Amino acid sequence: MSDPVTLHDIYLARQRLAGQAARTPLILSQSLSVRFEAEVYLKLETLQPSGAFKLRGALNKIASLSPEQLERGVTTASTGNHGRAVAWAARRLGARAVICLSELVPANKVAAIEALGAEARVIGRSQDDAFVEARRLVAEEGMALIEPFDDPLIAAGQGTIGLELMEDLPSLDRVFIGLSGGGLLGGIGRAVKGINPQVQVTGVSMEKGAAMIDSLAAGEPVEVEEEASLADSLGGGIGLDNRCTFALVREVMDDHYRVSESAIARAMLHFFEQEKMLVEGAAAVGLAAIEEHDIDIRGQKVALIVSGNGVDAETLMRAKTLIDYSER
């Protein structure tokens, strides 16, 4: 079986993304570096035009479509950020976009998709329910399906983050990456380990509904029940017919942690109060893991993938209610 995502694929993706997606900054966090006695860097995918890393994969996929496919339009199912990315990329490339979402997707993310000119359809209580409608649009209207993660072109697009990490910090020791469907971790892991196999790739999921981790434990893709979480972008299954990211994550991920809602909340508040950044729960899980599990990173050069900024004031207030200030 051939490798579904190669380092060469990731370099080709970077060529397609040139002038479209941003090359995001990697900045040293003084507060976290002092606290953990390490060099802790933040990879700010929050500064993508769509507000999250998903733009890389969506652009790479949509840019590969034929003019005839673009004419028929594109569709996807999303927990929010991927939908925003597809909407942004479709508008940039002149294609109609229909984004299918579940009822668990926050209203601010639905509004952001509509603001980009795409049609948002809210279908059912899960990502799987939303996918039923997306696949109907493919079958009946001939639209092109832009997978959220399980597509080599999507994973290769996300992998361009790994190229930038290794160029900006060649001596990187470890990277913490939010783990859901595996496109982000798989792509970054393929890139950094293709350049330096010694880099430790650590995945982080929320406590409940961690589909990829449950699937890896079972040895095959399994279904999980989705639950509301501050890290809502990490929700959803990996697909029982997963053809790309399950094998990729199994190969490139070194270790994994689950984090509680209170740990995610504390990390979000750190970004807000200390780094002066508004980040969503999924973007804060790397810090949440280090704090909650007392991970020893002393003396290391560590990168946290700050994956998206899809958070509103209501969610931030909800995060505050989860924190026992006596423990801060």
Side-chain angles (χ1 to χ4, degrees):
M1 179 179 176
S2 62
D3 190 337
V5 181
T6 67
L7 190 57
H8 183 242
D9 293 329
I10 296 170
Y11 276 104
L12 290 176
R14 179 154 74 174
Q15 190 173 46
R16 292 190 191 97
L17 300 187
Q20 307 283 345
R23 181 190 176 104
T24 56
L26 182 70
I27 66 168
L28 180 70
S29 168
Q30 296 290 348
S31 62
L32 295 178
S33 296
V34 170
R35 186 196 307 182
F36 298 118
E37 300 178 36
E39 290 183 28
V40 181
Y41 294 85
L42 309 176
K43 181 61 170 167
L44 300 182
E45 287 298 294
T46 50
L47 299 181
Q48 287 294 349
S50 67
F53 76 94
K54 288 283 191 177
L55 183 61
R56 295 175 185 259
L59 272 168
N60 192 41
K61 177 67 175 182
I62 295 174
S64 73
L65 298 177
S66 69
E68 292 75 21
Q69 288 174 307
L70 289 173
E71 178 67 24
R72 290 192 294 269
V74 299
T75 186
T76 193
S78 170
T79 54
N81 285 337
H82 178 64
R84 287 169 69 187
V86 171
W88 193 96
R91 185 171 70 173
R92 184 71 172 246
L93 297 173
R96 174 190 174 217
V98 178
I99 313 301
C100 304
L101 309 125
S102 82
E103 295 170 4
L104 293 177
V105 175
N108 68 301
K109 292 189 175 182
V110 178
I113 287 167
E114 293 175 331
L116 288 167
E119 178 186 346
R121 294 188 185 177
V122 179
I123 308 289
R125 286 280 301 170
S126 73
Q127 180 89 325
D128 289 338
D129 291 338
F131 251 116
V132 171
E133 174 65 8
R135 295 190 191 283
R136 185 193 68 78
L137 290 169
V138 172
E140 296 182 9
E141 299 187 23
M143 301 186 86
L145 180 63
I146 312 301
E147 295 275 5
F149 53 87
D150 193 30
D151 183 314
L153 285 165
I154 296 292
Q158 323 305 22
T160 59
I161 297 170
L163 298 183
E164 294 172 15
L165 281 177
M166 298 307 294
E167 289 165 352
D168 292 343
L169 189 63
S171 54
L172 176 70
D173 293 305
R174 189 172 188 176
V175 57
F176 286 80
I177 309 168
L179 178 62
S180 179
L184 179 64
L185 186 143
I188 293 176
R190 171 65 78 227
V192 299
K193 285 185 174 292
I195 295 168
N196 178 8
Q198 300 308 310
V199 175
Q200 186 171 352
V201 174
T202 299
V204 188
S205 300
M206 64 281 207
E207 240 171 12
K208 298 178 180 178
M212 181 62 77
I213 294 310
D214 289 349
S215 296
L216 290 171
E220 62 182 5
V222 298
E223 293 182 343
V224 296
E225 182 178 351
E226 292 183 50
E227 299 192 26
S229 171
L230 288 170
D232 56 271
S233 294
L234 300 183
I238 69 167
L240 296 181
D241 58 347
N242 187 289
R243 66 187 191 280
C244 173
T245 58
F246 177 74
L248 184 58
V249 169
R250 183 164 53 185
E251 180 181 348
V252 302
M253 187 171 71
D254 295 297
D255 57 352
H256 173 269
Y257 295 88
R258 299 179 194 243
V259 289
S260 66
E261 291 298 298
S262 60
I264 297 169
R266 284 192 297 272
M268 291 174 69
L269 266 292
H270 167 86
F271 276 99
F272 180 67
E273 295 174 349
Q274 301 298 320
E275 311 293 343
K276 309 304 178 186
M277 298 177 190
L278 275 172
V279 307
E280 61 192 69
V285 294
L287 172 57
I290 295 171
E291 291 182 328
E292 186 167 38
H293 296 282
D294 294 321
I295 300 171
D296 187 359
I297 58 171
R298 285 175 296 177
Q300 296 183 32
K301 294 181 180 180
V302 173
L304 308 181
I305 305 301
V306 187
S307 53
N309 64 12
V311 63
D312 57 9
E314 180 181 346
T315 303
L316 195 62
M317 291 301 297
R318 182 157 57 93
K320 287 184 176 182
T321 66
L322 294 175
I323 298 173
D324 180 351
Y325 276 78
S326 68
E327 297 179 358
R328 299 183 67 203

